[in-house]
Amino acid sequence: MKKLNNKFFSCLFTLTMLLFSGSMMAQTFSGGGNPQPIPPTGTVGCCTTSDAVVAGLPGGGIVGTDVTVDQVSINLTHTFDADLDISLISPAGTSWDLSSDNGGAGDNYTNTNFVDGFPSITTGAPPYTGTFQAEQGPMNAPAAFSGENANGVWQLSINDDVGGDSGTLLDFSITFGAPCSINVPAAVVVSNDPGVCGANVSLIATAPACLDPLVNDFNAGGADASGVYPVGTTTVNWTSGLSSGSTTVTVTDDEAPTLSCPGDMTIHLDPGACDQVISYEVTATDNCPLIGPAL
């Protein structure tokens, strides 16, 4: 019997792991029936629709638990964008407004991507090339598709609600991914900086697999939540889509107050007196008088 080829099994194992890893990456599904006219006939009417059949998502395919709606992408031409109401409809029948009556007399949606956490589509301008958040809000929010089974038919629906102009839906796709991991720093405990009722702390998270923007609630920034933290305990929260992570920063006031004493004094007793009452006041300066060490 021939010996087993270790190199062969090593390659086979590596290939298997790559395939497994790939199955957990973002999966994109394209809508059918395109290109097609907007509206279906004439210059006004409802609705031009494109169906994307979604299947094989990991776990139970539940939005918010197993997968996230990472991105919806559209390309269309139209000679008056403000005529259009564009919605995404889930397999469960939930309709979410991507963009309605925006763009005035501008033309087209060209390489337009809808991703949670980006500026609203209402802040953009035709042809809306780039990445925006849906007009109705985050697609992964509990009020939207969170908790629904993503496997099934997702539909893009376009209503042309004013006559006189028309266009063409060129393509539509929807991308799903798995909730990502946010790597947060360990809890921090530091003393206050000299002369400051707080401490300058470096605090940076990482989220290499997250597709949604990473934001924090301390300095309204992204991964970097560094800054001057006040005395006490502050909890910093990072979020990316449905994923979240948090850590604490505790700053203790270990700086003793600065005492100021009067200078030397020479006392002359009253005639016939053996002692005399005097006033001698010591002042203290403390950056955190209600928190720091007692006098």
Side-chain angles (χ1 to χ4, degrees):
M1 181 178 180
K2 294 182 178 181
K3 292 183 179 180
L4 296 176
N5 190 321
N6 290 334
K7 183 179 290 187
F8 168 78
F9 281 101
S10 176
C11 292
L12 180 61
F13 175 77
T14 301
L15 178 60
T16 302
M17 292 305 297
L18 287 173
L19 291 174
F20 175 77
S21 299
S23 70
M24 300 303 293
M25 295 172 66
Q27 299 182 56
T28 299
F29 302 85
S30 298
N34 302 313
Q36 56 181 311
I38 305 172
T41 59
T43 62
V44 62
C46 184
C47 287
T48 298
T49 61
S50 178
D51 293 346
V53 180
V54 175
L57 293 177
I62 303 302
V63 177
T65 300
D66 305 307
V67 298
T68 59
V69 182
D70 280 346
Q71 181 170 290
V72 174
S73 301
I74 62 173
N75 276 288
L76 63 84
T77 63
H78 198 276
T79 52
F80 205 98
D81 281 356
D83 289 358
L84 303 180
D85 300 332
I86 307 171
S87 300
L88 177 67
I89 303 173
S90 72
T94 301
S95 179
W96 204 249
D97 179 22
L98 299 178
S99 179
S100 290
D101 303 321
N102 296 309
D107 299 347
N108 310 332
Y109 283 74
T110 304
N111 295 327
T112 305
N113 303 307
F114 295 93
V115 178
D116 290 357
F118 281 80
S120 172
I121 189 70
T122 59
T123 66
Y128 296 109
T129 300
T131 305
F132 306 90
Q133 182 166 272
E135 182 170 354
Q136 194 168 343
M139 295 180 289
N140 291 287
F145 306 122
S146 183
E148 296 186 8
N149 191 330
N151 290 301
V153 177
W154 290 77
Q155 184 178 86
L156 183 76
S157 177
I158 304 175
N159 176 30
D160 188 331
D161 57 14
V162 179
D165 292 270
S166 60
T168 302
L169 174 59
L170 300 174
D171 58 70
F172 144 66
S173 66
I174 183 168
T175 300
F176 297 90
C180 61
S181 296
I182 301 175
N183 305 311
V184 301
V188 175
V189 178
V190 295
S191 299
N192 67 303
D193 294 338
V196 180
C197 193
N200 197 332
V201 176
S202 176
L203 203 68
I204 303 175
T206 60
C210 294
L211 298 182
D212 294 318
L214 182 63
V215 298
N216 75 75
D217 61 0
F218 173 70
N219 58 15
D224 193 346
S226 301
V228 177
Y229 282 78
V231 168
T233 298
T234 302
T235 299
V236 184
N237 301 293
W238 284 270
T239 57
S240 177
L242 293 177
S243 303
S244 62
S246 63
T247 193
T248 58
V249 175
T250 301
V251 180
T252 59
D253 179 16
D254 296 330
E255 187 178 12
T258 301
L259 302 180
S260 298
C261 301
D264 295 341
M265 302 176 66
T266 300
I267 301 171
H268 299 282
L269 297 177
D270 294 337
C274 294
D275 55 27
Q276 184 174 334
V277 176
I278 63 171
S279 176
Y280 188 85
E281 183 177 347
V282 177
T283 60
T285 302
D286 190 359
N287 292 298
C288 303
L290 300 180
I291 303 174
L295 295 177

